[in-house]
Amino acid sequence: MADKTKALRHIAFIMDGNGRWAKKRLMPREYGHKVGAETFKNIVKYCRTLDIEAVTVYAFSTENWKRPEREVNAIMALFSDYLDVAIKDMMKENVRIVFLGDKSVFPNNLRKKMEQTEDESKNNKYILNVGINYGGRDEIVNAVNLCIKEGMTKITEDDITERLYTKASPMPDLIVRTGGEYRISNFLMWQSAYSELYFTDVLWPDFSSEDVDRAIEVFNSRNRRYGGV
Ligand code: IPE
Ligand code: IPE
Ligand code: MG
């Protein structure tokens, strides 16, 4: 009998290493983001062929605003380009897109495009969460503030879970970080309590479907106990 605990419903990626990938090629960091954006589209498509219910990617953190303006602008331009074409793919692939993070910081036109894409795809079966201006701590604080706004005086774990940006998705089963750093960097702080973690030195622009297979193979060999025996 298949072991149900091993079912992979939700996979998440910390897409790290774009800058170093470009530097190795004596190219500007922005070029790494450009190639990384292509990798993102390919990996999302590949996960869809594996029939994985939810995919989450970390594209830009609440801390990434500290980067040089030129780099931030380049990432936002890539994001805007992606928004122009995303909806077509989402509808074709039956994917609902959800942007994780506080959208109020984005310029009006970008924010409207984000909301439109979310709204048009909202009845699709699979989920793609894109963390942009995303921070795990910000997400928890936001959830608590929503509880306060609703007049709650005592809150439960479920109250918070139901108000996270990821509320439409199951908890992540597997979190993959590329780029050789062994940390979470404020990603899915609440949701990762029992996620399996997989770290690889492969830089994000080089990450391939074979690398996804390798991560899932490792995931399948793990024994998830959730505190039990
Ligand atoms: C990940 O790649 C993309 C973002 C954080 C926006 P990096 O830009 O962090 O690449 P490295 O880690 O500097 O190589
Ligand atoms: C994490 O990568 C954020 C994203 C991949 C979007 P960073 O490159 O920002 O993380 P640190 O600074 O190495 O922790
Ligand atoms: Mg990095």
Side-chain angles (χ1 to χ4, degrees):
M1 202 176 82
D3 186 343
K4 248 185 104 183
T5 60
K6 285 179 185 163
L8 179 59
R9 296 178 63 197
H10 183 177
I11 188 168
F13 298 95
I14 301 177
M15 309 188 288
D16 196 24
N18 291 348
R20 280 164 286 162
W21 183 91
K23 204 176 159 205
K24 266 180 38 187
R25 286 161 181 76
L26 306 177
M27 295 292 280
R29 294 178 56 84
E30 290 75 16
Y31 180 62
H33 295 309
K34 191 173 162 194
V35 178
E38 293 307 311
T39 304
F40 151 72
K41 289 181 220 164
N42 292 336
I43 295 299
V44 167
K45 258 198 203 117
Y46 182 63
C47 290
R48 178 67 186 74
T49 67
L50 298 178
D51 215 40
I52 300 171
E53 226 175 289
V55 176
T56 298
V57 296
Y58 201 7
F60 193 86
S61 75
T62 47
E63 287 74 34
N64 287 147
W65 298 105
K66 292 187 225 178
R67 294 185 179 205
E69 200 181 322
R70 172 191 156 131
E71 180 172 347
V72 171
N73 288 344
I75 294 170
M76 290 305 147
L78 284 167
F79 177 54
S80 174
D81 289 349
Y82 173 66
L83 278 176
D84 288 334
V85 296
I87 189 64
K88 204 170 127 240
D89 283 347
M90 295 302 118
M91 298 318 285
K92 195 172 84 206
E93 306 265 349
N94 199 12
V95 175
R96 169 182 180 185
I97 199 162
V98 177
F99 296 104
L100 313 178
D102 176 7
K103 294 189 191 69
S104 69
V105 301
F106 295 106
N108 266 340
N109 59 335
L110 205 62
R111 205 183 60 238
K112 281 213 183 89
K113 261 198 260 178
M114 291 164 83
E115 285 164 356
Q116 249 169 25
T117 312
E118 284 184 327
D119 195 54
E120 278 180 48
S121 66
K122 70 172 182 242
N123 294 319
N124 290 346
K125 178 177 168 196
Y126 297 86
I127 293 182
L128 170 61
N129 295 305
V130 177
I132 185 122
N133 187 32
Y134 174 82
R137 288 180 175 176
D138 167 71
E139 181 180 38
I140 296 167
V141 170
N142 183 257
V144 172
N145 278 328
L146 289 173
C147 291
I148 292 171
K149 229 173 153 179
E150 289 169 41
M152 296 183 187
T153 51
K154 191 166 185 286
I155 57 177
T156 65
E157 290 190 8
D158 283 345
D159 291 329
I160 292 183
T161 301
E162 286 158 15
R163 286 162 186 80
L164 296 174
Y165 299 129
T166 58
K167 59 180 181 277
S169 305
M171 290 293 158
D173 298 296
L174 173 61
I175 298 178
V176 173
R177 180 170 188 147
T178 62
E181 309 292 355
Y182 303 137
R183 54 176 171 259
I184 288 294
S185 301
N186 203 11
F187 189 48
L188 305 178
M189 300 295 290
W190 180 274
Q191 301 89 329
S192 61
Y194 276 101
S195 302
E196 295 297 326
L197 307 178
Y198 177 85
F199 297 97
T200 169
D201 289 340
V202 175
L203 302 173
W204 180 255
D206 287 330
F207 196 71
S208 67
S209 54
E210 288 80 23
D211 293 311
V212 175
D213 289 345
R214 205 161 296 135
I216 294 177
E217 207 175 289
V218 169
F219 170 80
N220 284 330
S221 72
R222 303 264 178 95
N223 182 8
R224 304 182 82 186
R225 283 187 289 278
Y226 297 98
V229 287

